[in-house]
Amino acid sequence: MADSDGEYHADDASDEEFGDHQVTSSTRHGTRSRSQADKSKKAARKGGKAAWEDIQRSWDAVVEDADGTLTGAIEGRAEAEKRARLLKDTTPLQRGIIRHLVLVIDMSFAMLEKDMLPSRYELTMAYASQFVREYFEQNPISQLAVIGMRDGVAVRISDMSGNPADHLEKLQGWVKQDPQGNPSLQNALEMCRGALFHTPSHGTREVVIIYGALMSSDPGDIHETINALVGDRIRVSIVGLAAQVAICDELCSKTNAGDNSSYSIALHEEHFRELLLAITTPPVTRTQEQSNASLLMMGFPSRTLAAGDSIYYCACHNRPTREGYACTRCGSRVCRLPSECPGCGLTLILSTHLARSYHHLFPLRNWVEVPWSEARRSKACYSCLATFPEAAADKSKAAGTGKGKDNSGAAPILASLKGLSESGRYACEVCGNHFCIDCDLFAHEVLHNCPGCQSDTRGAQNGSGNGNGNMNGNAQENGAMEIDS
């Protein structure tokens, strides 16, 4: 029985270590021969930790509030998620605001996997629709086309167009169709080259691929296609849904001047959405040809309504309509803007479209967190007049961001969250006004302007403009408004 209770040996142990632990029968009682080197090896293995012993569980870091609830911790993490979306580089760089992009969607058998719920394909089609809306929201004067990969060939879903409604309608037609066959990167890239061949040189040429497979069924040498993409100045970005693929990494690296940061792997559903929507920001201009200034001719038509009972036919869809926009050059009518005139090819946009594209060149600077030492001069958000948490009179640093509650128990959690203000206030470095997290998010993602700076320039004669509303909603020092309590 002396040899029956031997020690457990891991499956990944080396042959040398396994040989050192062999049981010998040199004596009648079956004693084991162990050298001093064997004991040192065993001691070294016992001193180290296995990978599963260092697991960090998020629920271990949860701290209850003073009243026994988790309200402060939950609100703090929610604000930290909002704040993380805003903590990005705001350095003004030259970007291509007129973009020509082709979205390539993997529709092969690999998209049937359900590691992302409800399935890779259904989630991809839903996020692709969100991408189309956000793309034209951030780039209203840009163009987009959609291509699919299935059965070893490339399928054209929608042509290059600046109308998001057309792309969304075509995508909805493919939602109910099951993915099948193998993907072909080469065929999809060659079709993208054809779609981007006639695009003007002043705009960017981009390809975004959502790739779920680990292989590619190509008819020829894909390296020749990659070299052709480099010659045509086409940038390729890939969002992978499975493991990293070597040819995808090489494709992104060569088409982006050696930078492989455009190839990312989605870890989960929310990360997949973040990676895809991050591409809606225009890329930085690198080539000298795109850096040269050039004048573009555009038309700014006004919306007109047909007189009496008469109707018009729009030149873009050949449909009867009573309202539309007349081209400023040839007089052809289109039903939506922005678009390209079917008669003369003139780009037709509104002034608001041009203004929305302009904010990428000069982004609004990130607002800074306000400590408790500077939080006493504001009691409400300058923009929405929401009440801020009150600072403790006997403490220089309060804990938590719950409104009207003592969230001292959540202090360790909130202090470790990056970018989160302990006082719930965020200050613009130009005007010095304090804002809440919701107004911070709205100003940076929708308005792209600071409400405090805008009001200061218009009513500078009323005061310095760095005061904030107090508890009863009275606006101080800027004379903007007065609300009864």
Side-chain angles (χ1 to χ4, degrees):
M1 297 297 295
D3 297 335
S4 62
D5 56 349
E7 296 180 351
Y8 170 75
H9 308 295
D11 295 338
D12 57 350
S14 61
D15 295 339
E16 181 181 359
E17 293 177 348
F18 185 79
D20 293 338
H21 289 280
Q22 293 298 316
V23 178
T24 60
S25 57
S26 58
T27 62
R28 182 174 56 183
H29 300 287
T31 59
R32 303 177 183 185
S33 59
R34 292 190 178 95
S35 61
Q36 190 67 22
D38 299 335
K39 295 181 180 180
S40 61
K41 290 181 180 179
K42 186 180 296 184
R45 287 195 301 272
K46 289 183 178 179
K49 289 185 178 181
W52 57 270
E53 295 179 309
D54 292 332
I55 296 178
Q56 296 181 356
R57 296 183 291 267
S58 59
W59 54 86
D60 289 342
V62 176
V63 180
E64 294 182 353
D65 299 343
D67 55 357
T69 64
L70 302 177
T71 305
I74 295 174
E75 290 180 356
R77 292 190 177 276
E79 288 192 8
E81 292 178 359
K82 295 178 182 179
R83 185 66 174 167
R85 295 160 57 182
L86 303 176
L87 294 179
K88 55 186 178 181
D89 187 14
T90 57
T91 305
L93 299 172
Q94 184 173 0
R95 300 178 181 272
I97 62 175
I98 301 179
R99 308 172 64 184
H100 302 88
L101 187 143
V102 180
L103 177 63
V104 181
I105 302 176
D106 189 354
M107 298 180 174
S108 64
F109 70 96
M111 301 299 286
L112 293 172
E113 296 290 338
K114 296 186 177 181
D115 51 353
M116 293 185 177
L117 298 178
S119 68
R120 288 184 182 178
Y121 183 72
E122 294 181 31
L123 188 66
T124 299
M125 297 303 289
Y127 284 169
S129 300
Q130 295 184 22
F131 175 81
V132 172
R133 296 188 185 95
E134 186 67 17
Y135 175 80
F136 285 103
E137 180 68 24
Q138 300 294 330
N139 310 271
I141 59 176
S142 299
Q143 302 284 320
L144 177 71
V146 184
I147 292 176
M149 295 184 295
R150 57 184 292 154
D151 293 329
V153 297
V155 181
R156 188 182 301 275
I157 298 178
S158 63
D159 296 325
M160 187 70 66
S161 170
N163 188 0
D166 294 340
H167 301 296
L168 294 175
E169 182 181 356
K170 298 293 182 61
L171 282 174
Q172 289 300 320
W174 286 84
V175 171
K176 299 301 182 181
Q177 299 193 22
D178 295 331
Q180 62 183 15
N182 296 326
S184 177
L185 271 178
Q186 186 180 19
N187 287 333
L189 292 174
E190 290 293 346
M191 183 174 288
C192 292
R193 286 187 60 206
L196 297 173
F197 181 76
H198 296 287
T199 56
S201 59
H202 58 259
T204 63
R205 300 177 179 179
E206 306 170 55
V207 175
V208 177
I209 302 177
I210 302 177
Y211 203 62
L214 296 176
M215 49 84 70
S216 177
S217 179
D218 300 325
D221 188 3
I222 192 174
H223 293 88
E224 297 180 358
T225 303
I226 295 177
N227 295 332
L229 292 173
V230 175
D232 294 340
R233 296 185 294 106
I234 297 177
R235 306 184 186 192
V236 180
S237 301
I238 299 179
V239 178
L241 305 182
Q244 193 174 25
V245 183
I247 190 61
C248 295
D249 184 75
E250 180 182 353
L251 172 62
C252 295
S253 178
K254 288 188 175 181
T255 56
N256 289 275
D259 183 15
N260 59 357
S261 61
S262 58
Y263 181 31
S264 306
I265 302 298
L267 303 179
H268 45 77
E269 290 88 344
E270 186 61 28
H271 188 221
F272 177 26
R273 180 177 181 273
E274 293 176 358
L275 292 175
L276 192 60
L277 296 185
I279 306 177
T280 58
T281 302
V284 179
T285 301
R286 292 196 185 100
T287 59
Q288 184 65 29
E289 290 81 0
Q290 292 180 349
S291 300
N292 296 330
S294 58
L295 298 178
L296 304 178
M297 185 174 294
M298 294 184 177
F300 297 88
S302 300
R303 179 174 173 268
T304 59
L305 184 65
D309 296 334
S310 61
I311 59 173
Y312 297 110
Y313 272 87
C314 68
C316 47
H317 299 93
N318 291 329
R319 298 173 183 173
T321 179
R322 287 185 50 81
E323 58 184 11
Y325 302 88
C327 176
T328 56
R329 176 189 289 173
C330 65
S332 301
R333 293 186 176 272
V334 295
C335 55
R336 293 188 182 97
L337 293 182
S339 65
E340 186 174 316
C341 177
C344 60
L346 181 65
T347 302
L348 304 177
I349 63 173
L350 296 176
S351 59
T352 54
H353 296 149
L354 197 59
R356 276 158 48 193
S357 301
Y358 184 75
H359 74 263
H360 291 294
L361 303 180
F362 300 97
L364 180 62
R365 291 196 297 179
N366 293 329
W367 293 345
V368 297
E369 301 84 14
V370 179
W372 281 114
S373 58
E374 302 178 3
R376 299 182 182 275
R377 66 183 182 85
S378 63
K379 295 183 179 181
C381 174
Y382 181 83
S383 179
C384 66
L385 299 181
T387 304
F388 284 136
E390 294 186 9
D394 56 343
K395 295 180 181 180
S396 59
K397 180 179 180 181
T401 57
K403 299 181 179 179
K405 295 183 180 180
D406 182 13
N407 296 329
S408 58
I413 300 178
L414 302 182
S416 61
L417 298 176
K418 180 182 178 182
L420 184 63
S421 175
E422 59 183 0
S423 64
R425 299 162 172 83
Y426 302 90
C428 173
E429 295 181 313
V430 179
C431 64
N433 292 305
H434 293 177
F435 301 89
C436 63
I437 182 64
D438 294 322
C439 291
D440 187 3
L441 194 71
F442 184 74
H444 284 83
E445 292 193 345
V446 180
L447 290 181
H448 304 288
N449 287 288
C450 173
C453 296
Q454 295 294 324
S455 61
D456 288 345
T457 57
R458 297 173 185 175
Q461 68 276 7
N462 294 331
S464 58
N466 59 356
N468 288 272
N470 55 18
M471 287 286 291
N472 62 0
N474 297 328
Q476 295 180 348
E477 297 191 17
N478 62 347
M481 67 173 71
E482 182 175 351
I483 302 177
D484 295 334
S485 57

